[in-house]
Amino acid sequence: MRFLLLLIGLVLTLPVQADWVPKHRPVPGGVAVIDLGSASEKRPRQITYNDRPVMLRVSNDRWKALVGLALDADVGGHHIMADGRRLAFQVQHQGYDEQHITLRNERHVNPNQEDLDRIGRELQRIRAALATWSHSEPDSLRMPLPVEGRFSSPFGLQRFFNDQPRRPHNGLDIANDTGTPIQSPATATVVDAGDFFFNGKTVFLDHGQGLITMYCHMDRIDVAPGDTVILGQSLGTVGATGRVTGPHLHWSVFLNGNAIDPALFLAEGDA
């Protein structure tokens, strides 16, 4: 018993292992990394931003809150709540380029009523997937690309379809041939998968603590809701389903419900 108590005491005094986190980039579509104190202190219990839970990680023996910032986040003062403490931070301006796309399928620009009804039903599914919160810790926040290819459309572009303004581009487009394998960039649980009007064949992965990744326009889906996938496991293949002009993977990363630039999480050499 004495040996066991000594062992427990030794474990409790060991330093917390450092964990990679993305750089502090407090801009619309970025991540605010907020220091919450030494990791030798008690783990913060409740951290929220706009009333939604926020990811907590350890980096360099410090507790860090990772806050995903929406593309339409206002520039200026924001704050999180951490166990009753109000911690302020500033969101800075970030400009994004425009992209003009011509689509042959007019319904992908101006959907008819039947399309709108379908889009409304699918939007509920998408929102539910993005609101997923599990307490499991992500294996790693540094991810490899899920597919090789040319970056055809970067994150954040202000998009115009047939000269009509639409929402900014909330992911990274990676162009490759139809049938190219798409691999999971980390361990995750499949929270939804299906064929959507705009997104085409799509998979949503839950990596834990509000980190959700989305894979759109697939030709084939190899997983189903409830499946557990590991790093490098096949999710399906690149395709041209949904609102597209050619085969590619649209890859989105969401943190506390907000789309953020996937490049912030790429492994070295992939950015």
Side-chain angles (χ1 to χ4, degrees), residues 192-221:
D192 202 353
D195 195 352
F196 295 78
F197 183 80
F198 287 128
N199 293 348
K201 293 182 180 179
T202 299
V203 170
F204 296 87
L205 298 183
D206 168 25
H207 301 276
Q209 291 205 24
L211 178 62
I212 309 293
T213 55
M214 180 177 74
Y215 308 79
C216 302
H217 310 308
M218 299 167 69
D219 183 64
R220 189 187 75 236
I221 295 175

Side-chain angles (χ1 to χ4, degrees), residues 43 107 191 214 217 258:
R43 178 188 180 98
R107 286 169 58 188
V191 291
M214 180 177 74
H217 310 308
N258 293 324

Side-chain angles (χ1 to χ4, degrees), residues 14-57:
L14 288 175
V16 179
Q17 293 298 312
D19 184 30
W20 182 89
V21 297
K23 291 181 179 180
H24 178 59
R25 191 164 180 264
V27 300
V31 177
V33 181
I34 301 172
D35 189 286
L36 299 180
S38 172
S40 64
E41 302 295 329
K42 186 177 179 181
R43 178 188 180 98
R45 297 182 60 185
Q46 187 176 34
I47 310 165
T48 59
Y49 169 68
N50 291 340
D51 297 323
R52 300 189 71 158
V54 168
M55 176 182 286
L56 178 67
R57 301 290 277 184

Side-chain angles (χ1 to χ4, degrees), residues 113-129:
Q113 188 57 53
E114 181 180 354
D115 297 332
L116 291 173
D117 293 340
R118 175 185 172 185
I119 292 166
R121 294 191 299 270
E122 294 175 350
L123 184 58
Q124 294 182 29
R125 288 177 60 185
I126 293 170
R127 286 174 174 168

Side-chain angles (χ1 to χ4, degrees), residues 86-253:
R86 180 186 173 103
L87 301 176
F89 64 96
Q90 292 289 316
V91 172
Q92 303 163 3
H93 173 73
Q94 171 66 48
Y96 291 104
D97 292 336
E98 293 184 358
Q99 184 182 44
H100 292 257
I101 297 173
T102 300
L103 297 173
R104 294 181 180 179
N105 186 346
E106 182 62 26
R107 286 169 58 188
H108 279 154
V109 182
N110 297 300
N112 60 32
Q113 188 57 53
E114 181 180 354
D115 297 332
L116 291 173
D117 293 340
R118 175 185 172 185
I119 292 166
R121 294 191 299 270
E122 294 175 350
L123 184 58
Q124 294 182 29
R125 288 177 60 185
I126 293 170
R127 286 174 174 168
L130 300 184
T132 300
W133 175 272
S134 57
H135 291 285
S136 59
E137 296 270 352
D139 284 351
S140 174
L141 299 183
R142 181 177 279 166
M143 301 182 184
L145 285 170
V147 67
E148 295 297 324
R150 175 178 59 87
F151 293 178
S152 54
S153 291
F155 174 86
L157 293 173
Q158 177 58 58
R159 284 188 147 179
F160 295 80
F161 292 109
N162 297 359
D163 293 326
Q164 297 186 35
R166 292 296 185 266
R167 291 181 179 179
H169 190 224
N170 71 353
L172 172 65
D173 285 355
I174 307 170
N176 211 320
D177 296 334
T178 296
T180 302
I182 300 168
Q183 298 177 334
S184 175
T187 300
T189 300
V190 181
V191 291
D192 202 353
D195 195 352
F196 295 78
F197 183 80
F198 287 128
N199 293 348
K201 293 182 180 179
T202 299
V203 170
F204 296 87
L205 298 183
D206 168 25
H207 301 276
Q209 291 205 24
L211 178 62
I212 309 293
T213 55
M214 180 177 74
Y215 308 79
C216 302
H217 310 308
M218 299 167 69
D219 183 64
R220 189 187 75 236
I221 295 175
D222 292 342
V223 295
D227 288 352
T228 298
V229 296
I230 62 174
L231 172 65
Q233 182 173 334
S234 174
L235 302 177
T237 58
V238 171
T241 56
R243 184 169 64 183
V244 298
T245 58
H248 71 279
L249 172 67
H250 171 101
W251 181 40
S252 287
V253 175

